[in-house]
Amino acid sequence: MILRLGILIACFCAAVAAQAKDVVAWHVSHFPPVNIMSGPFENEGFADKTRSFFQRNLMEYSHQDVTQGYAQSMESAQAGTAFCRADMLKTPEREKVFYFSQPVYFTSGRRLLVSNDIFLQTRGFANKNGDVRFSDLLGQPWAKYSYVKGRVYFPTEQEALKVYRDKHPELASENSYEAFNLLKREEANMMILYPFEYGYYLRLDDLAPSHRSLQLAEMEPFSYAYFACSKTPKGKRVIEAVNSIVKKEEDIYSWLYYYKEWVSHEEWQRIKRFFYKVTTNYNEN
């Protein structure tokens, strides 16, 4: 009887403790393979898995995922709502309303994906660093650029596309996957894409790689991404806790292997070199 009473008291105390935990709301939106909210790889995105990893280690909180787009997150942060995201790029505008963690992700920037049959032609426009200028390529008669309506990645692209869009409305798409399908069907021969997006589309359609990528002179070759929480007392505490978890990693961050699942071996080696270069410099400073 005493043993049974003890068990009941322990269960009750555990339940009360669980209820007493502060709840962290995590905004999540569909951007495969960062976050995958539907389809055959649901919840297998590299940010999905990274967010779950940190949630398990932020044991002082309970966690709730909430479907919200980036624009909605910005509005919520401006309104002072307490929440976090596990998939943010840093911008001056966002820094006004978000606390950012140390870099959590190390990824390649968007690259120019080209069909094999025009790869040598495009390489002919490369500078001494191997980069190509987007406007130089777009002006070539053999260029068939698959683009997403209303999306631009850098100012000079917008200028170069003004005339191109009017001449080639058949190469416009509503999203990146539709743009990739034009490339797959050989109706287009180039597009701008993250390497991890390309890896996702290959897995989604069970395809072997059949394109090459080039660095664009107008874009950074690598980028960081972060956890971010709205500027509230809770948000500041969560970011401090996230940074503590990051600092405990003794080698390449364990969650970066979730990113590895979506990219080629060559891309993963590039990321590892970038990681060790910047983290070594950071530690030395």
Side-chain angles (χ1 to χ4, degrees):
M1 180 67 182
I2 295 175
L3 177 61
R4 185 178 301 174
L5 180 61
I7 293 173
L8 288 172
I9 292 172
C11 292
F12 175 77
C13 291
V16 169
Q19 290 178 355
K21 285 185 177 181
D22 207 354
V23 178
V24 178
W26 295 87
H27 285 192
V28 185
S29 51
H30 186 65
F31 177 26
V34 181
N35 298 299
I36 307 175
M37 302 183 70
S38 62
F41 305 114
E42 185 174 355
N43 297 324
E44 293 183 26
F46 63 85
D48 287 321
K49 292 184 176 181
T50 302
R51 185 178 67 255
S52 295
F53 173 90
F54 277 83
Q55 288 174 346
R56 290 193 301 271
N57 285 276
L58 293 167
M59 293 178 289
E60 64 271 40
Y61 299 99
S62 58
H63 304 276
Q64 180 182 13
D65 291 345
V66 180
T67 302
Q68 292 280 10
Y70 290 101
Q72 293 169 307
S73 291
M74 192 67 182
E75 292 174 2
S76 296
Q78 290 168 339
T81 304
F83 71 94
C84 299
R85 288 197 71 109
D87 56 357
M88 290 283 275
L89 300 178
K90 188 184 291 187
T91 68
E93 184 181 14
R94 288 174 175 175
E95 285 187 283
K96 294 176 183 177
V97 292
F98 285 99
Y99 293 117
F100 281 85
S101 68
Q102 293 182 21
V104 172
Y105 307 96
F106 297 74
T107 71
S108 285
R110 293 182 176 95
R111 295 171 65 84
L112 183 71
L113 193 67
V114 300
S115 301
N116 283 330
D117 59 344
I118 66 163
F119 179 68
L120 292 179
Q121 290 170 283
T122 56
R123 278 296 299 269
F125 288 85
N127 60 25
K128 62 181 181 180
N129 296 320
D131 303 342
V132 295
R133 297 192 66 82
F134 179 76
S135 55
D136 292 343
L137 297 177
L138 201 62
Q140 302 309 307
W142 40 263
K144 298 178 182 179
Y145 176 67
S146 180
Y147 60 93
V148 178
K149 294 178 184 177
R151 181 181 297 176
V152 292
Y153 302 119
F154 45 88
T156 53
E157 179 201 17
Q158 187 171 12
E159 291 298 316
L161 277 176
K162 281 182 179 178
V163 176
Y164 190 84
R165 284 180 174 137
D166 292 336
K167 290 184 177 180
H168 299 283
E170 75 282 1
L171 294 176
S173 298
E174 295 295 334
N175 55 60
S176 292
Y177 184 53
E178 289 182 11
F180 174 74
N181 281 332
L182 290 177
L183 197 70
K184 183 175 66 175
R185 296 194 299 266
E186 299 183 354
E187 296 174 32
N189 55 20
M190 63 173 67
M191 70 177 294
I192 294 174
L193 203 64
Y194 280 114
F196 56 75
E197 286 183 285
Y198 183 54
Y200 171 74
Y201 296 147
L202 292 179
R203 282 182 62 180
L204 190 64
D205 294 341
D206 195 22
L207 299 172
S210 57
H211 306 87
R212 306 286 290 275
S213 68
L214 292 162
Q215 177 62 41
L216 287 162
E218 298 92 338
M219 302 191 76
E220 292 294 330
F222 299 100
S223 63
Y224 305 107
Y226 307 80
F227 278 37
C229 297
S230 56
K231 283 194 172 180
T232 63
K234 184 196 295 186
K236 186 176 182 180
R237 292 194 301 271
V238 172
I239 290 300
E240 289 172 350
V242 167
N243 286 339
S244 295
I245 294 170
V246 173
K247 289 177 181 177
K248 291 178 182 177
E249 295 287 304
E250 296 180 353
D251 198 354
I252 190 166
Y253 299 161
S254 55
W255 53 85
L256 290 183
Y257 287 92
Y258 302 139
Y259 177 85
K260 179 185 177 184
E261 297 172 5
W262 295 102
V263 297
S264 66
H265 175 74
E266 178 185 16
E267 166 64 10
W268 175 241
Q269 296 305 312
R270 292 178 72 241
I271 290 300
K272 285 175 66 178
R273 290 193 295 270
F274 173 57
F275 174 86
Y276 285 121
K277 177 182 178 181
V278 297
T279 53
T280 299
N281 290 342
Y282 175 79
N283 289 335
E284 287 176 350
N285 293 331

